[in-house]
Structure formats: C-alpha cells, structure tokens
Amino acid sequence: MNELAITVIGPDRTGIIADVSEALAGVGANLSDSTMTRLRGHFAMTLICNGPAAEDVEKALAPLTGLLATVRAVAPEADADVAGEPYLVSVHGADRLGIVAAVTRVVAAAGGNITDLTTRLTGPLYVLIAEVEVPSGGADTLAARLALAADELGVDVTLRRAESDVL
Amino acid sequence: MSDALADWKPDVLGVDGKVLPVVTAPASVLSTVGADVDPLDPEVVQLAADLVATMRVSPGCVGLAAPQVGVGARVFAVDVTQHPKTATNHGTFVLCNARVVEASRWRPGREGCMSVPDLTGDVKRASRLVVEAVLPGTGEAVLLTTDAFEARALQHEIDHCDGKLFLDRVAGAHAVYQRKVYL
C-alpha cells in the first residue's frame, strides 16, 4: 500500500477541503491523518493518505486552480514507542526574530520530541504552544533551560505536564 | 435522600460481580442512547455488580458505564477515591437512570477513556454538579451533589449512557491527542 504525504495551501475560500478531499477520494486515496487550518488568510492542509500512486494524486489535484499542492511517497509509519512524558510548552511575548528557533533548540537539546506546535502572531503579541514528549525525569532540567532561553528572548515560558485522566 | 447513597455499598447488591470485556469505539453500543432500567431487576443488579468488578480490575479506572461492557442501559459505576483531583467523594457507587439536575463552574480538563484507548481530548465539564438517580438493589432515589473530579467522572459516565463519548464534547479541532502514556 502506498503511503503519501500531501500538502496543499492556497488563499482561503469556501469549499477548499471539499474540493481536495473529493479529488483524493476520486483516485481512491484514503485520508488517514490530517491537520488543516487557516494561517493568515491562507488555508493550509497537511495530509497522510494511502492508496494510489503519487502521480495519480498529483494529476487529480492539478486542476484545482489557485492551490499549491505537493505529493510525495513516504515510508509507512512504524509503531512508535512512547518516547517520554507528555508536556505542554507555552511561550508568549513581544514578537522578535528567532523565538521558535531558540525554544525548539532548547527542547531538542534536552531530548524532547515536539509532536505538535502552533504559533500565532496577533498585533505585537507572539504565542507559541507546543506538545512535547520529555524524556523521563528530564522535565525540571528542561524547565530551567527554557527559563534561561526565555530570559534572553524577553518572553515568558511555562512548561507543564499534560495530564490526562482516564474515566 | 443523600443518606441512602452513604449507606449504599456494592455488597448491598448481594451478588458477585463478573469481570466483563470492555468494548472500544467504534462499537455501535457506545453510540446508542441507553434505556432506563428497573433498579430492582435482577439483571440490573447483576450488571451493577459486574460494572464494579470490571472497574476494580482495570488500572486507573474511576468509572465504567454499561455501554462500555456492551449493554445499552443507563447504569454506571464510579469510584474516584484514589484520584488526586478528587475533592468531594462518595466512595464506590452505582447509579441507575442518572440525570444532571444542575451544572455550573465549567472547567477544562484532558480526558481519556477505556473505550477510546489511543486518544485523549480536552473537555469542559461542570465542576459543581447535582445529579438525580436511583440506586440498584434498593431502588432508592438519590440527589447527589458533588464537585471537582467526581463531578467530571459523573458527567463522563452519564454521557456514555446517552451514547456520547468525550470525542463528542472536545473543545476544538486541535483538542484531540494521541495518548502518550498508558497506565
């Protein structure tokens, strides 16, 4: 079974998802995981599909005018091991160059694996929220290093456990 | 009426509970609105005992509803005694035909569910709650007032009895996560 990584981006309008997913369904591409969101008036889609060959999907998406699409074959997911404990990093402060680079470098240096990250700029305020798998017992060290980095950037940072309760 | 709940213990049921397999989504029973039950019906009494037994052998489990063991009925067990987020705590109990009477002070929290083993989600729940129900075995009516984690557990289980999962209540498109920690 072919696994495909697909990105689509274009100016936001009504019906983008319907158009793209219909084109995918038309060539038998089954959409497994996806995130889709509007970023500054552009609609962005990141999709993992399986089924057809990459060329067939490219052909199916080509007629969708105004959208920039990329399709590439990827190796199917291996069963991921649980890499650590789930944490949330929140950063907010005045916008400046290099916040994402500095914060994510600190996380990576501590062995933390980012599994989801969103940034938003609203007016002068920059916000970064990341989900991170932190190696067992490494949270205190990471929190201290993040605090140092945040100090240098002049932003506020918090690291907190993302606890889920089983009901 | 609250005394009835304080006096209620699983041994009031007078039958031994069996450990039942837990059903996982997308089983249709989890999406079915449960039927009201007769709290004195021997089958309901046995089901109540089975829910307690199954809850007790499941690590970290603080509540289990009949649809989760494949029965489309308005019955569930709760026990949040050991949970660190518990404030008010009514011990181990089983409720039939439970309905929310009052709900206030909504708070977000991340929930997982034995019937949705690979995902968690952010859900707003009332942290002050009043529930009316009847007790299995005795048939007594109770009005249960609780808060914090017990309130969350009750709402999650009442949702199961209504054919709803936490996935039907998540806070937004980015409020569902791959579960990263298994108990």
Side-chain angles (χ1 to χ4, degrees), chain A residues 108-148:
Chain A
N113 187 30
I114 296 172
T115 55
D116 204 343
L117 187 147
T118 302
T119 67
R120 294 282 172 189
L121 174 64
T122 88
L125 178 67
Y126 196 78
V127 180
L128 179 163
I129 310 288
E131 296 247 330
V132 186
E133 290 171 354
V134 179
S136 241
D140 289 346
T141 313
L142 176 57
R145 289 181 188 169
L146 282 172
L148 279 177

Side-chain angles (χ1 to χ4, degrees), chain A residues 15-161:
Chain A
I16 290 181
I17 300 173
D19 292 351
V20 171
S21 52
E22 205 170 78
L24 293 173
V27 288
N30 189 25
L31 215 163
S32 43
D33 279 12
S34 70
T35 70
M36 313 185 194
T37 196
R38 188 167 61 183
L39 303 170
R40 298 261 141 184
H42 309 276
F43 197 80
M45 312 167 72
T46 310
L47 321 165
I48 300 293
C49 289
N50 51 54
E55 308 84 73
D56 296 340
V57 173
E58 276 168 354
K59 266 185 226 157
L61 295 177
L64 302 176
T65 49
L67 299 179
L68 178 64
T70 68
V71 182
R72 76 189 241 211
V74 290
E77 176 192 42
D79 275 341
D81 283 337
V82 174
E85 296 162 349
Y87 279 80
L88 282 170
V89 179
S90 303
V91 178
H92 52 91
D95 186 28
R96 55 162 286 179
L97 193 69
I99 293 177
V100 177
V103 170
T104 57
R105 180 58 63 203
V106 170
V107 171
N113 187 30
I114 296 172
T115 55
D116 204 343
L117 187 147
T118 302
T119 67
R120 294 282 172 189
L121 174 64
T122 88
L125 178 67
Y126 196 78
V127 180
L128 179 163
I129 310 288
E131 296 247 330
V132 186
E133 290 171 354
V134 179
S136 241
D140 289 346
T141 313
L142 176 57
R145 289 181 188 169
L146 282 172
L148 279 177
D151 226 28
E152 282 171 24
L153 293 162
V155 298
D156 294 309
V157 64
T158 55
L159 178 71
R160 65 202 152 89
R161 182 84 195 233

Side-chain angles (χ1 to χ4, degrees), chain B residues 86-112:
Chain B
T86 296
T88 302
N89 169 18
H90 291 84
T92 307
F93 59 92
V94 180
L95 299 182
C96 302
N97 310 337
R99 284 186 171 77
V100 172
V101 180
E102 284 176 42
S104 60
R105 299 202 189 179
W106 297 79
R107 303 269 186 276
R110 190 169 290 187
E111 293 183 10

Side-chain angles (χ1 to χ4, degrees), chain A residues 33 35-37 82-86 88 115-116 118 131-133 161-167, chain B residues 60 62-63 83 85 110-114 120 149 152-153 156-157 174 177 179-183:
Chain A
D33 279 12
T35 70
M36 313 185 194
T37 196
V82 174
E85 296 162 349
L88 282 170
T115 55
D116 204 343
T118 302
E131 296 247 330
V132 186
E133 290 171 354
R161 182 84 195 233
E163 285 181 26
S164 56
D165 296 313
V166 183
L167 293 155
Chain B
V62 295
H83 198 279
K85 292 179 187 167
R110 190 169 290 187
E111 293 183 10
C113 176
M114 287 175 71
T120 62
F149 191 66
R152 180 171 291 273
H156 182 105
E157 303 312 330
H174 287 104
Y177 311 87
R179 182 185 283 180
K180 291 157 193 151
V181 177
Y182 291 86
L183 289 164

